[in-house]
Amino acid sequence: MAKNTPIAVRLEKDKTFDLLMPISDAKGGDLDGAFIVMEVPFTKASNEAEALKIGVAIHDEAQRPIPSKNAMYQR
């Protein structure tokens, strides 16, 4: 997390890749260390790079509608 880069870890027991992905607002602004956690099953990705590719697509779609840090925490 200190590097602010996506991480994928292979979990043999669960047959998934565990992903941790930093997230920012739509313009790249800091959200004070916010991140997305997701799992990608082995049936969808055969290695960490493929899992990250799937994760980045989901990450980008989730990040797009966040206009700012303040907007994220408002109702």
Side-chain angles (χ1 to χ4, degrees), residues 45-74:
S46 62
N47 58 49
E48 288 85 347
E50 287 181 13
L52 282 172
K53 186 175 179 180
I54 292 167
V56 166
I58 294 167
H59 163 274
D60 291 351
E61 191 165 325
Q63 182 173 285
R64 195 171 299 123
I66 303 170
S68 68
K69 180 175 135 182
N70 288 340
M72 184 173 164
Y73 296 105
Q74 292 179 353

Side-chain angles (χ1 to χ4, degrees), residues 6-54:
I7 300 168
V9 176
R10 185 179 188 95
L11 301 174
E12 291 294 336
K13 180 182 86 163
D14 298 327
K15 304 279 190 239
T16 63
F17 295 97
D18 196 20
L19 277 60
L20 175 72
M21 309 195 69
I23 190 167
S24 60
D25 67 24
K27 296 175 186 163
D30 183 36
L31 295 177
D32 288 336
F35 56 90
I36 296 174
V37 176
M38 68 183 87
E39 293 179 346
V40 176
F42 288 176
T43 57
K44 300 293 181 186
S46 62
N47 58 49
E48 288 85 347
E50 287 181 13
L52 282 172
K53 186 175 179 180
I54 292 167

